[in-house]
Structures are given as structure tokens and as C-alpha cells.
Amino acid sequence: MIDHNFYLVITKMNQEYFMRLALEAAKKGDWPYGAVIVKDDEVAAVAYNTVQRDSDPSAHAEINVIRILTAKISKPTLEGYSIYTTCEPCPMCATACVWTGVSEIICGVSIQDLISLNQAQIHISCEEIIAKSFRNIKVTKGVLKDECLALFK
Ligand SMILES: [Zn+2]
């Protein structure tokens, strides 16, 4: 039997590993946001914000990573996948997560954290979007929060 604390330590190590990949991706973005989608502890897709270079206001890291993966697997749904994102998904991205049916959202900083740094944000948490939807998506916040916040300084 696996010790429960051991399981928690391994989970935290995995979460930090994938968040570091999202952080690296964020550094390539037009704005410092990165996202990684993972299934069975393997990276399925990586993306970052391309709003400026694509002249596309919807080209957030989460939308981009979802589009890359759903095109790759030729399916619009992502049940069983986890999305790692350096910042909590905005209402548009949280809604996209609902439509694709990702199983879990793991984020670094919260929308509230970014508002505290005077970043332009819509003040609705991803939990609020999920709560009003037909999905039950697990949300974990604060993974490598300081590193994710440092992208904005
Ligand atoms: Zn977004």
C-alpha cells in the first residue's frame, strides 16, 4: 500500500514539473502566459499567448493549447486530460475548458493575484464558471505561484 503522504509528495513534484514547462512556454508568449496539457503524466501539448502575432484576441495560451491538441487528436473533447496554466483561466478560457471537458485545471497565479498587480483581467474566477456549468472540474491553484507572478515583474 502506498503511503498517503508519499502520494501527496509525488503529486506535488509532478505538478511543479509540468508547471515549469508552462513557465518556459510563457516566456515565448506575447504576454507571459503559458499552458501545458497532460494525460497519464505525459505532455500532450504546449502553447503560449499569441494575441499580438496572430492579431487574435482569443489566442490565449489555454485556447491555443486546446486547439493544438484537439486538432492533433481530431476530437473536440479532452476528458481525462489536465491543463496546467501559469495563470488561472479567464472566463473565455474557463468556458473552453468546460466545453472540452478537461478533468482538471492546475494554475499558478489567480485572477485576483493579477488584478493586485494591475493586470487587465475579468474578475470572475474559473470556479465560478465551472460551478454554473454542467461539468465537475477539479481546480488547484498556487502551484509555483511566485515563479508565475515573477513573469509579470
Ligand atoms: Zn484566457
Side-chain angles (χ1 to χ4, degrees):
M1 195 178 90
I2 296 172
D3 177 73
H4 183 64
N5 287 329
F6 177 73
Y7 177 77
L8 288 179
V9 168
I10 295 294
T11 299
K12 187 167 182 282
M13 278 172 57
N14 276 346
Q15 286 183 338
E16 291 185 354
Y17 173 77
F18 293 120
M19 189 60 78
R20 282 190 208 289
L21 297 182
L23 273 160
E24 284 311 305
K27 291 172 187 165
K28 300 176 191 161
D30 294 334
W31 294 96
Y33 299 95
V36 173
I37 297 180
V38 173
K39 189 178 189 185
D40 300 329
D41 285 337
E42 283 188 26
V43 174
V46 181
Y48 44 85
N49 180 301
T50 57
V51 166
Q52 298 294 339
R53 77 192 71 168
D54 293 343
S55 300
D56 179 357
S58 74
H60 289 189
E62 300 95 319
I63 299 288
N64 285 346
V65 78
I66 288 169
R67 282 184 175 144
I68 288 168
L69 184 56
T70 53
K72 190 165 135 188
I73 64 173
S74 301
K75 260 175 54 175
T77 54
L78 295 175
E79 278 158 51
Y81 288 85
S82 301
I83 183 165
Y84 286 77
T85 176
T86 52
C87 175
E88 176 181 357
C90 74
M92 173 181 71
C93 295
T95 302
C97 288
V98 168
W99 291 129
T100 59
V102 294
S103 300
E104 190 174 5
I105 298 170
I106 299 108
C107 33
V109 294
S110 67
I111 289 170
Q112 182 62 60
D113 293 330
L114 290 187
I115 288 171
S116 308
L117 289 179
N118 293 317
Q119 296 294 315
Q121 292 290 328
I122 297 166
H123 200 178
I124 299 174
S125 73
C126 69
E127 289 101 325
E128 285 176 78
I129 302 282
I130 294 162
K132 292 192 173 174
S133 80
F134 53 95
R135 302 269 193 205
N136 183 16
I137 302 173
K138 184 181 176 194
V139 177
T140 303
K141 288 180 176 172
V143 175
L144 299 183
K145 177 178 166 175
D146 291 344
E147 287 91 330
C148 295
L149 265 181
L151 293 170
F152 293 89
K153 287 171 184 164

